[in-house]
Structures are given as C-alpha cells and as structure tokens.
Amino acid sequence: MIVVWVLELIFPQLLPRFAFVPAIGIFEPWRFLTAAFLHSIPMPFHLAFNCWALWVVGRALEPVLGRLRLLGAFVICAIGAMLAQCLVSLINPQAWVTLTVGASGAVFGFFGIVLAIQRVLRLPWSEMAALIGINFILGFFLPNVAWVAHLGGLLVGLVIGAYTGWSLRQAQFVTVPITPENSGDSEQSDSSPSKPGFGQYLPSESDLPEPSEDLPNNPSSTDATIRPSSRASSETNGSAVLLQRVVTPKEIARDVAVYLGLFAILVGCNWLFYHFNYEAIYAILQLSA
C-alpha cells in the first residue's frame, strides 16, 4: 500500500483508474479489490493507520489462519466492504459516481475475525470490541469516511472469525516438548511486548517446532495455535510442552470450501445488486456521456 501510494504521487491518474465506483463496478469488477490498495493522496494519516492496523492485527492472526487463509480473508473482507458501499447509492444517487479507496474495510474485517475468535473460544474480547466501537464511531465525525464499507468488512470478518473459532474448537492437538532450539530465551520472551487481542495466547515464531513425522493420524501439516501463554505452558513429565494443531487434508478441503463459498456468496450478491439497478446505472452513464 505504501508503494502504491507513492506511485499515486507520481502518477495521479492511478487513483481514478483503479478506485471503486459503484456505477463502473459492473464493467470493471477488479475495482472491488484494487481500491483496497489505494489511499487518498492528501490524507497520509489514513494510509498510516491502515498499515499499522494490518501489521499489528495481522501478526496476531497469521499464526492462527496461516498465510494463505490470511490473504484470502483480506480479499474477501475488502470485496465485502466495497459491496456494502454500493448500498449507499440506493439512498444517495451521488454515491453512484463517488470514488471509494482504502483498506479500512479489510482492516475492520480483521478486527471482526479477532473478535469472533475471542468470543467462540471464550477469550477476553472487551478490548477488541472497544477498539471496533471507537473506530466505527469516529467514522461519523471524520469527513469523507465510508462507514458503510467498514460495516460490510466487519460483518464478513465476523463470519470468517466464527468459522475459524469453531474449527479451532474441533481441531486435534499434540504436545511438542519445548527445547532450547524452539523456545528461545525465556526471559526475553517474557519481557517482549504483548500482541493485540488474543495474540497474547499465541506462540511466537521462535516457539514453532518443525513438523514431526510421527504425529498421530498422519497429518499433512501442522499449525501452531492457541496455548495458555509462554509463562503458563503445560508440563509433561516435568518438561514444558507446546500445544500444536494437527491439520488434516479434510480440514484443508473444508477451509477451501468455506472461503470459496463466501466469495461465491459475495459474487452472487454483487450480481443481484447490479441486476436490479442496471437501468439506473445506464441512465447515470448516459448523463455522464
């Protein structure tokens, strides 16, 4: 996003060419996603907040979702945010030709994922709920903020987070002994800053052991997942252990089906929206011509 914003300074035509416009989305559907990487040129604060939020929350989500699921969640939340923004045009005709840019919808989607996982796993969730509430309310006071897009991304994120939390509750776990090679310096770990939301319950990257070939059920891969904390690790025979999730091919196929299903639902809603508003779009484009 930072690179794209710098390119916008050099080539100002990038913003109107790839920003989301409801009246043009039917003909150029890639704008539903490309708009998430664009930001308003005179508002670097918007870019800075989105990058910071994605970095902080993403670091808590990536050990749980994995890189591919995290990328898929970003795409789905971004599309859901822009699809929700289309609904504004039903109330305000000017919104049909209004440009919308920014990753805020995807950011709220990530917030929603964290909140839903916390709720499903019965982890502390009040801090994330307060963060969502404060940022959502600010959208009503700051100018030119697409709060409907924020709401759309949040709702999609809640769905993804609820499914992820349910998957974690159904998952199988194995205990892996923590050795000096995979645990790191305990004192340094204890003094490191805590991660946001449920990140304090996640192992750090240095805690993740290599997949073992003798795990039960012959899993295809393993993902590190939630454990009590680095200070409260379980102990087996007097040695600290790390809980590690076993990911089977069946679970991978289910994840793919759920993510593709959400994407298909958004595409279907998109088709319905433009199907019932095609005449209005045609009239607007005729006036613009």
Side-chain angles (χ1 to χ4, degrees), residues 65-163:
L65 296 179
R67 294 178 180 177
L68 291 180
R69 295 182 189 88
L70 188 68
L71 177 61
F74 179 88
V75 171
I76 294 174
C77 291
I79 295 176
M82 296 305 167
L83 182 58
Q85 185 64 19
C86 289
L87 301 178
V88 180
S89 58
L90 300 179
I91 302 175
N92 180 15
Q94 186 64 29
W96 283 108
V97 292
T98 300
L99 276 67
T100 303
V101 295
S104 299
V107 169
F108 270 81
F110 278 17
F111 289 166
I113 295 174
V114 174
L115 179 62
I117 292 177
Q118 290 173 329
R119 289 288 292 163
V120 173
L121 297 182
R122 299 177 182 177
L123 299 175
W125 56 273
S126 57
E127 292 183 3
M128 180 53 65
L131 178 64
I132 294 174
I134 293 173
N135 283 277
F136 188 75
I137 293 174
L138 285 177
F140 293 96
F141 296 95
L142 299 177
N144 301 323
V145 175
W147 64 268
V148 177
H150 296 174
L151 181 60
L154 176 64
L155 293 177
V156 176
L158 288 174
V159 174
I160 297 176
Y163 166 73

Side-chain angles (χ1 to χ4, degrees), residues 208-225:
L208 303 183
E210 294 295 331
S212 175
E213 296 180 357
D214 58 350
L215 295 178
N217 301 327
N218 191 24
S220 60
S221 63
T222 57
D223 280 348
T225 187

